[in-house]
Amino acid sequence: MTEVATGAESAREGAIVTCDACPVLCRIRLGRTGACDRYGNVEGVLTRMDPLVLAEKVIDQEGELVPFLANPEWQGGILSPSPQPARRHFLTGIGSGTTYPDYKPAPFIVASQHDGVDMVTVVTEGIFSYCGVKLKIDTDRYVGPEQAAVRADGEQVGHVTTAEYGSQMLAIGGVRHLTGGSKKEGAVACRTMLELCNKQPVALSVDGGATLEVQAGRPPVIDGVVEERMRVGCGSATIGIFAKQWHGHVDEVVVVDDHITGVLSEHQAGRFLELKPAGIRVRGRRSTPGRYFQVANPGSGWGGTDVSEPLSIIEAIDAKTAWPGLRLLMVSTTGEDAEYFVLDDGLKPVKAAMPEAVRKVVERIGENCEPALTSVLFMAGAGGSLRAGVTENPVMLTRSVKAALTRVTSGGAPVYVWPGGGITYMVDVMRMPDKAFGHVPTPAIVAPIEFTLRLEDYRELGGHMASLRQLEEVGRVDRLRVSAWHEGNPWPLDPQPRRG
Ligand code: SF4
């Protein structure tokens, strides 16, 4: 580990150094690290303890991406001994250091050439108090009421927000939990966000709802049960998709769903197939023909309802319309729950063995369900002082980002920048290298961020030209770690479509 210009500076008093990378201003003794473990006192020198991450993309002679380390010529260095296969490098903000509140230029402002064009990448680790995590949990199981508190270690760290199609959504962290409550609430909220962003498992509980074990890119565990399938659609959509395949094999299908329960013979799809009305009325509020809201309470039973006995949602069977021998299928939106009934002479549904043709369609519902996953999106505002580390005139950076002259990435991953004011961005942590995030005890999250633009544009927006150095110089830093480029990510130095 060596002394590296990271933007942070030390004030030495004997063997103690003071870190000025964040407002905590830790006084660090020889051989120790500061409160966040990111900076340490190594032989009297303030040192960023984690390696700086350089992402490498290897391209063979045909222009194809070569899997990292699959190249036998690889020696561990960052400069290729031969021109083929070509290697491209991108310096990420991971391990770069911080300069909060950015009264100095960003830790690394690096020049490189791309397709004959001079480019600049400004690299830093942003310290964010305005940040949060959006969790998308692919399940129709009930996790708790909208707006309910989500807790970790008993502290509120977020809330249940509006569900999306096939998924429950949680908002975790945010400035109010980080800094607006008790010290413990802030610390637990910060740790929870950090673990989620670093792709680690986290245990949560929802007031009046479920217990959850969630981890980015893994199936959620709800009340101890691993969720395997995301529903194929709501009950109405399921009817629409499979109506034709059921036709001729059953007389009625009820698809049980917490959102919309579908009833085939009443539904537009059943009418199109000229199905005979079956006279089976389900509970709930009819929205449009064959589509019912609120047939039961939300829960972890059939189709995200609390139903474990499907016949309980049948309100009445109309003796004038139904007939003995009527074949009824009841199924959930994932196909995990399904039962087949035949009406007896008294028009009472009697459970029967499911015919093969009907079972095949039930299995096809399951086949069409995508695997249930937990997705973690980190969201933060980079429109504050962080911009001063990039340019003397911060609003120019905001405008440049909005005009798509400057590409924003986080650990090399593409971000979505929200419209309107500021540089409020979201990034999928699964597209970032592992352990890309850190924290400081203010409390706040530390996240890598890179701004890439043409050299001429950087000069024009008032960039810190005196701090510019070549990428090759950075490559000589001995605390560098080369990591494989995420193959699904666009190369940040490629031009991006310009906006108006
Ligand atoms: S918390 Fe970390 S970054 Fe902040 S002053 Fe202490 S060592 Fe430096």
Side-chain angles (χ1 to χ4, degrees):
M1 217 104 30
T2 56
E3 182 177 15
V4 180
T6 61
E9 285 170 7
S10 60
R12 301 179 198 198
E13 289 170 36
I16 294 178
V17 295
T18 303
C19 173
D20 72 345
C22 92
V24 177
L25 297 176
C26 294
R27 287 165 51 78
I28 309 173
R29 292 182 186 284
L30 193 64
R32 308 289 286 270
T33 56
C36 71
D37 286 340
R38 296 186 312 125
Y39 284 93
N41 178 343
V42 178
E43 295 172 3
V45 175
L46 182 69
T47 305
R48 181 70 177 87
M49 302 303 287
D50 301 303
L52 176 63
V53 174
L54 183 80
E56 180 179 76
K57 186 173 176 175
V58 184
I59 301 164
D60 71 9
Q61 292 173 21
E62 278 75 47
E64 297 294 321
L65 204 65
V66 174
F68 189 60
L69 296 181
N71 176 4
E73 282 183 44
W74 171 252
Q75 299 295 319
I78 71 155
L79 298 173
S80 174
S82 64
Q84 298 295 344
R87 291 184 176 145
R88 287 181 179 171
H89 297 105
F90 180 76
L91 188 66
T92 74
I94 303 165
S96 65
T98 43
T99 55
Y100 186 82
D102 302 282
Y103 45 86
K104 290 170 280 183
F108 293 93
I109 301 177
V110 293
S112 61
Q113 272 228 333
H114 180 64
D115 288 344
V117 179
D118 288 321
M119 304 291 292
V120 174
T121 302
V122 182
V123 172
T124 189
E125 285 178 305
I127 299 184
F128 298 106
S129 336
Y130 277 89
C131 68
V133 165
K134 308 296 174 215
L135 273 187
K136 173 173 167 284
I137 301 170
D138 300 336
T139 183
D140 54 6
R141 275 179 228 278
Y142 183 63
V143 299
E146 198 170 297
Q147 300 181 8
V150 176
R151 296 182 189 277
D153 288 342
E155 294 293 326
Q156 187 178 357
V157 295
H159 63 273
V160 178
T161 185
T162 313
E164 297 299 343
Y165 199 85
S167 308
Q168 307 292 345
M169 304 291 291
L170 307 185
I172 303 293
V175 70
R176 191 175 67 81
H177 293 299
L178 278 175
T179 57
S182 68
K183 195 172 173 186
K184 189 180 173 204
E185 179 180 333
V188 176
C190 187
R191 194 191 68 218
T192 304
M193 278 198 284
L194 183 65
E195 289 171 348
L196 286 168
C197 289
N198 280 338
K199 309 173 196 172
Q200 292 167 329
V202 166
L204 300 170
S205 64
V206 180
D207 286 4
T211 59
L212 304 164
E213 287 165 54
V214 284
Q215 183 174 7
R218 305 293 294 260
V221 182
I222 301 161
D223 284 332
V225 179
V226 179
E227 185 64 292
E228 285 172 5
R229 298 180 194 172
M230 186 177 182
R231 71 177 183 175
V232 69
C234 69
S236 171
T238 309
I239 293 270
I241 297 168
F242 297 103
K244 248 172 123 176
Q245 299 178 41
W246 278 314
H247 191 32
H249 302 298
V250 281
D251 301 303
E252 186 61 289
V253 178
V254 176
V255 182
V256 184
D257 180 37
D258 178 47
H259 177 213
I260 302 172
T261 288
V263 180
L264 176 62
S265 67
E266 288 179 39
H267 193 277
Q268 186 62 20
R271 300 239 176 119
F272 176 74
L273 295 169
E274 297 179 344
L275 284 188
K276 204 166 134 190
I280 292 177
R281 279 217 310 274
V282 299
R283 294 185 194 284
R285 179 161 68 82
R286 196 172 90 142
S287 161
T288 54
R291 299 167 74 252
Y292 290 82
F293 296 146
Q294 300 155 16
V295 295
N297 292 315
S300 51
W302 284 47
T305 68
D306 61 352
V307 167
S308 55
E309 171 48 61
L311 293 177
S312 65
I313 67 162
I314 293 181
E315 194 169 62
I317 296 179
D318 182 357
K320 289 189 194 130
T321 315
W323 63 93
L326 184 152
R327 301 161 298 171
L328 166 67
L329 171 70
M330 299 193 77
V331 62
S332 70
T333 45
T334 57
E336 283 165 310
D337 297 296
E339 283 184 13
Y340 180 79
F341 303 91
V342 178
L343 299 197
D344 67 10
D345 290 343
L347 300 183
K348 194 169 158 263
V350 178
K351 207 166 154 183
M354 193 176 294
E356 191 50 32
V358 178
R359 179 170 304 287
K360 263 193 180 160
V361 186
V362 169
E363 284 169 2
R364 187 160 282 179
I365 294 177
E367 188 189 327
N368 275 271
C369 292
E370 290 176 78
L373 291 178
T374 301
S375 304
V376 176
L377 265 73
F378 175 72
M379 183 165 167
S385 74
L386 187 146
R387 295 173 301 168
V390 182
T391 162
E392 289 166 356
N393 192 6
V395 72
M396 296 289 280
L397 176 65
T398 312
R399 289 180 191 151
S400 178
V401 168
K402 292 290 154 69
L405 296 175
T406 296
R407 188 193 282 264
V408 187
T409 50
S410 181
V415 307
Y416 173 76
V417 179
W418 282 68
I423 305 174
T424 304
Y425 74 94
M426 285 197 305
V427 60
D428 175 0
V429 304
M430 289 304 288
R431 301 181 78 164
M432 299 173 68
D434 292 345
K435 297 198 175 151
F437 292 81
H439 84 290
V440 289
T442 51
I445 290 288
V446 177
I449 188 160
E450 306 93 27
F451 299 93
T452 301
L453 66 169
R454 293 160 81 108
L455 178 65
E456 61 186 77
D457 291 337
Y458 189 55
R459 188 179 289 113
E460 251 176 56
L461 62 78
H464 301 296
M465 299 301 290
S467 300
L468 204 62
R469 50 185 153 156
Q470 296 299 313
L471 183 60
E472 290 72 26
E473 282 176 46
V474 179
R476 292 188 201 108
V477 170
D478 72 357
R479 67 185 185 94
L480 200 70
R481 177 163 70 83
V482 179
S483 86
W485 182 252
H486 187 298
E487 292 180 25
N489 289 344
W491 189 243
L493 284 90
D494 283 337
Q496 58 180 345
R498 297 204 170 194
R499 296 181 211 131

Coordinates of all heavy atoms in Angstrom, one line a residue, residues 219-276:
P219 N -33.5 -15.2 -5.1 CA -35.0 -15.3 -4.8 C -35.3 -14.8 -3.4 O -34.5 -15.0 -2.5 CB -35.3 -16.8 -4.9 CG -34.1 -17.4 -5.5 CD -32.9 -16.5 -5.3
P220 N -36.4 -14.0 -3.2 CA -36.7 -13.6 -1.9 C -37.2 -14.7 -1.0 O -37.8 -15.7 -1.6 CB -37.8 -12.6 -2.2 CG -38.4 -13.0 -3.5 CD -37.3 -13.6 -4.3
V221 N -37.0 -14.6 0.3 CA -37.6 -15.6 1.2 C -38.6 -14.8 2.0 O -38.3 -13.9 2.7 CB -36.5 -16.2 2.1 CG1 -37.1 -17.2 3.0 CG2 -35.3 -16.8 1.3
I222 N -39.9 -15.3 1.9 CA -41.0 -14.6 2.6 C -41.6 -15.5 3.6 O -42.0 -16.6 3.3 CB -42.0 -14.1 1.5 CG1 -41.3 -13.2 0.5 CG2 -43.2 -13.4 2.2 CD1 -42.0 -13.1 -0.8
D223 N -41.5 -15.0 4.9 CA -42.0 -15.8 6.0 C -41.4 -17.2 6.0 O -42.0 -18.3 6.2 CB -43.5 -15.9 6.0 CG -44.1 -14.6 6.5 OD1 -43.5 -13.9 7.3 OD2 -45.3 -14.3 6.1
G224 N -40.1 -17.3 5.6 CA -39.4 -18.6 5.6 C -39.5 -19.4 4.4 O -38.9 -20.5 4.3
V225 N -40.3 -18.9 3.4 CA -40.6 -19.7 2.2 C -39.9 -19.1 1.0 O -40.0 -17.9 0.8 CB -42.1 -19.8 1.9 CG1 -42.3 -20.6 0.6 CG2 -42.8 -20.4 3.1
V226 N -39.0 -19.8 0.3 CA -38.3 -19.3 -0.8 C -39.3 -19.1 -2.0 O -40.0 -20.1 -2.4 CB -37.2 -20.3 -1.3 CG1 -36.5 -19.7 -2.5 CG2 -36.2 -20.5 -0.1
E227 N -39.4 -17.9 -2.5 CA -40.3 -17.7 -3.6 C -39.6 -18.1 -4.9 O -38.5 -17.7 -5.1 CB -40.6 -16.2 -3.7 CG -41.6 -15.8 -4.7 CD -43.0 -16.4 -4.5 OE1 -43.1 -17.6 -4.6 OE2 -44.0 -15.6 -4.2
E228 N -40.3 -18.9 -5.7 CA -39.6 -19.4 -6.9 C -40.1 -18.8 -8.2 O -39.4 -18.5 -9.1 CB -39.9 -20.9 -7.0 CG -39.0 -21.7 -6.0 CD -39.3 -23.2 -5.9 OE1 -40.1 -23.6 -6.7 OE2 -38.7 -23.8 -5.0
R229 N -41.5 -18.5 -8.2 CA -42.0 -18.0 -9.5 C -42.6 -16.7 -9.3 O -43.3 -16.4 -8.3 CB -43.1 -19.0 -10.0 CG -42.6 -20.4 -10.3 CD -43.8 -21.2 -10.8 NE -43.5 -22.6 -10.8 CZ -44.4 -23.5 -11.0 NH1 -45.6 -23.2 -11.3 NH2 -44.0 -24.8 -11.0
M230 N -42.4 -15.8 -10.3 CA -43.1 -14.6 -10.5 C -44.4 -14.9 -11.2 O -44.4 -15.7 -12.2 CB -42.2 -13.7 -11.3 CG -42.7 -12.3 -11.4 SD -41.5 -11.4 -12.3 CE -42.2 -9.7 -12.3
R231 N -45.5 -14.3 -10.9 CA -46.8 -14.7 -11.5 C -46.7 -14.4 -13.0 O -46.1 -13.5 -13.4 CB -48.0 -14.0 -10.9 CG -48.0 -12.5 -11.2 CD -49.3 -11.9 -10.6 NE -49.3 -10.5 -10.9 CZ -50.3 -9.6 -10.7 NH1 -51.3 -10.0 -10.0 NH2 -50.2 -8.4 -11.1
V232 N -47.5 -15.2 -13.8 CA -47.5 -15.0 -15.3 C -48.2 -13.7 -15.6 O -47.8 -13.1 -16.7 CB -48.1 -16.2 -15.9 CG1 -49.6 -16.3 -15.7 CG2 -47.8 -16.2 -17.4
G233 N -49.1 -13.2 -14.8 CA -49.8 -12.0 -15.0 C -50.9 -12.0 -14.0 O -51.0 -12.9 -13.2
C234 N -51.8 -11.0 -14.1 CA -53.0 -11.0 -13.1 C -53.9 -12.1 -13.6 O -53.7 -12.7 -14.7 CB -53.6 -9.7 -13.1 SG -54.5 -9.2 -14.6
G235 N -55.0 -12.3 -12.9 CA -56.0 -13.4 -13.2 C -56.6 -13.2 -14.6 O -56.8 -14.1 -15.4
S236 N -56.9 -11.9 -14.9 CA -57.5 -11.6 -16.2 C -56.5 -11.8 -17.3 O -56.8 -12.4 -18.4 CB -57.9 -10.1 -16.2 OG -58.3 -9.7 -17.5
A237 N -55.2 -11.4 -17.1 CA -54.2 -11.7 -18.2 C -54.0 -13.2 -18.4 O -53.8 -13.6 -19.5 CB -52.9 -11.0 -17.7
T238 N -54.0 -13.9 -17.3 CA -53.8 -15.4 -17.4 C -55.0 -16.0 -18.2 O -54.7 -16.9 -19.1 CB -53.8 -16.0 -16.0 OG1 -52.8 -15.3 -15.2 CG2 -53.4 -17.5 -16.0
I239 N -56.2 -15.5 -18.0 CA -57.3 -16.0 -18.8 C -57.1 -15.7 -20.3 O -57.2 -16.5 -21.1 CB -58.6 -15.3 -18.3 CG1 -59.0 -15.8 -16.9 CG2 -59.8 -15.5 -19.3 CD1 -59.9 -17.0 -16.8
G240 N -56.6 -14.4 -20.5 CA -56.4 -14.0 -21.9 C -55.4 -14.9 -22.6 O -55.5 -15.3 -23.7
I241 N -54.3 -15.2 -21.9 CA -53.2 -15.9 -22.5 C -53.6 -17.4 -22.8 O -53.3 -17.9 -23.8 CB -51.9 -15.9 -21.5 CG1 -51.4 -14.5 -21.3 CG2 -50.8 -16.8 -22.1 CD1 -50.4 -14.4 -20.2
F242 N -54.3 -18.0 -21.8 CA -54.5 -19.5 -21.9 C -55.9 -19.9 -22.3 O -56.2 -21.1 -22.4 CB -54.1 -20.1 -20.6 CG -52.6 -19.9 -20.3 CD1 -52.2 -19.0 -19.3 CD2 -51.7 -20.7 -21.0 CE1 -50.9 -18.8 -19.1 CE2 -50.3 -20.5 -20.7 CZ -49.9 -19.5 -19.8
A243 N -56.8 -18.9 -22.5 CA -58.3 -19.3 -22.8 C -58.4 -20.3 -23.9 O -59.1 -21.3 -23.8 CB -59.0 -18.0 -23.2
K244 N -57.7 -20.1 -25.0 CA -57.8 -21.0 -26.2 C -57.3 -22.4 -25.9 O -57.9 -23.4 -26.4 CB -56.9 -20.4 -27.3 CG -57.7 -19.9 -28.5 CD -56.8 -19.2 -29.4 CE -56.9 -19.8 -30.8 NZ -56.1 -19.1 -31.8
Q245 N -56.3 -22.5 -25.0 CA -55.7 -23.8 -24.7 C -56.6 -24.6 -23.8 O -56.6 -25.8 -23.7 CB -54.3 -23.6 -24.1 CG -53.4 -22.9 -25.1 CD -52.0 -22.7 -24.5 OE1 -51.4 -23.5 -23.8 NE2 -51.4 -21.5 -24.8
W246 N -57.5 -23.9 -23.0 CA -58.4 -24.6 -22.1 C -59.7 -25.0 -22.9 O -60.4 -25.9 -22.5 CB -58.8 -23.6 -21.0 CG -57.9 -23.6 -19.8 CD1 -57.3 -24.7 -19.3 CD2 -57.4 -22.5 -19.1 NE1 -56.4 -24.3 -18.2 CE2 -56.5 -22.9 -18.1 CE3 -57.6 -21.1 -19.3 CZ2 -55.8 -22.1 -17.3 CZ3 -56.9 -20.2 -18.4 CH2 -56.0 -20.7 -17.4
H247 N -60.0 -24.3 -24.0 CA -61.2 -24.4 -24.7 C -61.4 -25.9 -25.1 O -60.6 -26.5 -25.7 CB -61.2 -23.6 -26.0 CG -62.5 -23.4 -26.6 ND1 -63.7 -23.5 -26.0 CD2 -62.8 -23.3 -27.9 CE1 -64.7 -23.3 -26.8 NE2 -64.2 -23.2 -28.0
G248 N -62.6 -26.4 -24.7 CA -62.9 -27.8 -25.1 C -62.5 -28.8 -24.0 O -63.1 -29.9 -23.9
H249 N -61.6 -28.4 -23.0 CA -61.2 -29.3 -22.0 C -61.9 -29.0 -20.6 O -61.9 -29.8 -19.7 CB -59.7 -29.2 -21.8 CG -58.9 -29.5 -23.0 ND1 -59.0 -30.8 -23.6 CD2 -58.1 -28.8 -23.8 CE1 -58.2 -30.7 -24.7 NE2 -57.7 -29.5 -24.8
V250 N -62.4 -27.8 -20.5 CA -63.1 -27.4 -19.2 C -64.3 -26.5 -19.6 O -64.3 -25.9 -20.7 CB -62.2 -26.6 -18.2 CG1 -61.3 -27.5 -17.5 CG2 -61.4 -25.5 -19.0
D251 N -65.2 -26.3 -18.7 CA -66.4 -25.5 -19.0 C -66.2 -24.1 -18.3 O -66.8 -23.1 -18.7 CB -67.7 -26.1 -18.5 CG -67.9 -27.5 -19.1 OD1 -67.9 -27.5 -20.4 OD2 -68.0 -28.5 -18.4
E252 N -65.4 -24.1 -17.2 CA -65.2 -22.8 -16.5 C -63.8 -22.9 -15.9 O -63.3 -23.9 -15.4 CB -66.2 -22.6 -15.4 CG -66.2 -21.3 -14.7 CD -66.4 -20.1 -15.7 OE1 -65.5 -19.8 -16.5 OE2 -67.4 -19.4 -15.6
V253 N -63.1 -21.7 -15.9 CA -61.8 -21.6 -15.2 C -61.9 -20.3 -14.3 O -62.3 -19.3 -14.8 CB -60.7 -21.4 -16.2 CG1 -59.3 -21.3 -15.4 CG2 -60.6 -22.6 -17.1
V254 N -61.5 -20.5 -13.1 CA -61.4 -19.3 -12.2 C -59.9 -19.2 -11.8 O -59.3 -20.1 -11.3 CB -62.2 -19.4 -10.9 CG1 -62.0 -18.3 -10.0 CG2 -63.7 -19.6 -11.3
V255 N -59.3 -18.0 -12.2 CA -57.9 -17.8 -11.9 C -57.8 -16.9 -10.7 O -58.2 -15.7 -10.8 CB -57.1 -17.2 -13.1 CG1 -55.6 -17.0 -12.7 CG2 -57.2 -18.1 -14.3
V256 N -57.4 -17.4 -9.6 CA -57.4 -16.7 -8.3 C -56.2 -15.8 -8.2 O -55.1 -16.2 -8.4 CB -57.4 -17.7 -7.1 CG1 -57.5 -16.9 -5.8 CG2 -58.5 -18.7 -7.3
D257 N -56.5 -14.5 -8.0 CA -55.4 -13.5 -7.9 C -55.8 -12.4 -6.9 O -57.0 -12.0 -6.9 CB -55.2 -12.9 -9.3 CG -54.1 -11.9 -9.4 OD1 -53.1 -12.1 -8.7 OD2 -54.2 -10.9 -10.1
D258 N -54.8 -11.9 -6.2 CA -55.1 -10.8 -5.2 C -55.5 -9.5 -5.9 O -56.3 -8.7 -5.4 CB -53.9 -10.6 -4.4 CG -54.2 -9.4 -3.4 OD1 -55.2 -9.4 -2.7 OD2 -53.3 -8.5 -3.3
H259 N -55.0 -9.3 -7.2 CA -55.4 -8.1 -7.9 C -56.7 -8.3 -8.7 O -57.7 -7.7 -8.3 CB -54.2 -7.7 -8.8 CG -54.5 -6.5 -9.7 ND1 -54.0 -6.4 -10.9 CD2 -55.2 -5.4 -9.4 CE1 -54.4 -5.3 -11.4 NE2 -55.1 -4.6 -10.5
I260 N -56.7 -9.1 -9.7 CA -57.9 -9.3 -10.5 C -58.1 -10.8 -10.6 O -57.2 -11.5 -11.2 CB -57.8 -8.7 -11.9 CG1 -57.5 -7.2 -11.8 CG2 -59.1 -9.0 -12.7 CD1 -57.3 -6.5 -13.2
T261 N -59.2 -11.3 -10.1 CA -59.5 -12.8 -10.3 C -60.3 -12.9 -11.6 O -61.2 -12.1 -11.8 CB -60.3 -13.3 -9.1 OG1 -59.4 -13.4 -8.0 CG2 -60.9 -14.7 -9.4
G262 N -59.9 -13.8 -12.4 CA -60.5 -13.9 -13.8 C -61.5 -15.1 -13.8 O -61.2 -16.1 -13.2
V263 N -62.6 -14.9 -14.5 CA -63.6 -16.0 -14.7 C -63.8 -16.2 -16.2 O -64.3 -15.3 -16.8 CB -64.9 -15.6 -13.9 CG1 -65.9 -16.7 -14.1 CG2 -64.7 -15.4 -12.5
L264 N -63.4 -17.3 -16.7 CA -63.3 -17.5 -18.1 C -64.6 -17.3 -18.9 O -64.6 -16.5 -19.9 CB -62.8 -18.9 -18.4 CG -62.7 -19.3 -19.9 CD1 -61.7 -18.5 -20.6 CD2 -62.2 -20.8 -20.0
S265 N -65.7 -17.9 -18.5 CA -66.9 -17.8 -19.4 C -67.5 -16.4 -19.4 O -68.1 -16.0 -20.4 CB -67.9 -18.8 -18.9 OG -68.4 -18.4 -17.6
E266 N -67.2 -15.6 -18.4 CA -67.7 -14.2 -18.4 C -66.8 -13.2 -19.1 O -67.1 -12.2 -19.5 CB -67.8 -13.7 -16.9 CG -68.9 -14.3 -16.1 CD -68.9 -13.7 -14.7 OE1 -68.6 -12.5 -14.6 OE2 -69.1 -14.4 -13.8
H267 N -65.5 -13.6 -19.1 CA -64.4 -12.8 -19.6 C -64.5 -12.6 -21.1 O -65.1 -13.4 -21.8 CB -63.1 -13.5 -19.2 CG -61.9 -12.7 -19.4 ND1 -61.2 -12.5 -20.6 CD2 -61.1 -12.0 -18.5 CE1 -60.1 -11.7 -20.4 NE2 -60.1 -11.4 -19.1
Q268 N -64.0 -11.5 -21.6 CA -64.0 -11.2 -23.0 C -63.4 -12.3 -23.8 O -63.9 -12.7 -24.9 CB -63.2 -9.9 -23.2 CG -63.2 -9.3 -24.6 CD -64.6 -8.9 -25.1 OE1 -65.5 -8.7 -24.3 NE2 -64.8 -8.9 -26.4
A269 N -62.3 -13.0 -23.3 CA -61.7 -14.1 -24.0 C -62.7 -15.2 -24.1 O -62.7 -15.9 -25.2 CB -60.4 -14.5 -23.2
G270 N -63.5 -15.5 -23.1 CA -64.5 -16.6 -23.1 C -65.6 -16.3 -24.1 O -66.0 -17.2 -24.8
R271 N -66.0 -15.0 -24.1 CA -67.0 -14.6 -25.1 C -66.6 -14.8 -26.5 O -67.3 -15.2 -27.4 CB -67.4 -13.2 -24.8 CG -67.9 -12.9 -23.4 CD -69.3 -12.4 -23.5 NE -69.8 -12.2 -22.1 CZ -70.2 -11.0 -21.6 NH1 -70.2 -10.0 -22.3 NH2 -70.7 -11.0 -20.4
F272 N -65.3 -14.4 -26.7 CA -64.7 -14.5 -28.1 C -64.8 -16.0 -28.5 O -65.0 -16.3 -29.7 CB -63.3 -14.0 -28.0 CG -62.6 -14.2 -29.3 CD1 -62.8 -13.3 -30.4 CD2 -61.6 -15.2 -29.4 CE1 -62.1 -13.5 -31.6 CE2 -60.9 -15.3 -30.6 CZ -61.2 -14.4 -31.7
L273 N -64.6 -16.9 -27.5 CA -64.6 -18.4 -27.9 C -66.0 -18.9 -27.8 O -66.2 -20.1 -28.0 CB -63.7 -19.1 -26.9 CG -62.2 -18.8 -26.9 CD1 -61.5 -19.4 -25.8 CD2 -61.6 -19.3 -28.3
E274 N -67.0 -18.0 -27.6 CA -68.4 -18.4 -27.5 C -68.7 -19.5 -26.5 O -69.4 -20.5 -26.7 CB -68.9 -18.8 -28.9 CG -68.8 -17.7 -29.9 CD -69.3 -18.1 -31.3 OE1 -69.4 -19.3 -31.6 OE2 -69.5 -17.2 -32.1
L275 N -68.1 -19.3 -25.3 CA -68.3 -20.2 -24.2 C -69.7 -20.0 -23.6 O -70.1 -18.9 -23.5 CB -67.2 -20.0 -23.1 CG -65.9 -20.6 -23.3 CD1 -65.0 -20.5 -22.1 CD2 -65.9 -22.1 -23.7
K276 N -70.3 -21.1 -23.2 CA -71.6 -21.0 -22.6 C -71.5 -20.5 -21.2 O -70.5 -20.9 -20.4 CB -72.1 -22.5 -22.5 CG -73.5 -22.7 -22.4 CD -73.8 -24.2 -22.7 CE -74.8 -24.7 -21.6 NZ -74.9 -26.1 -21.7

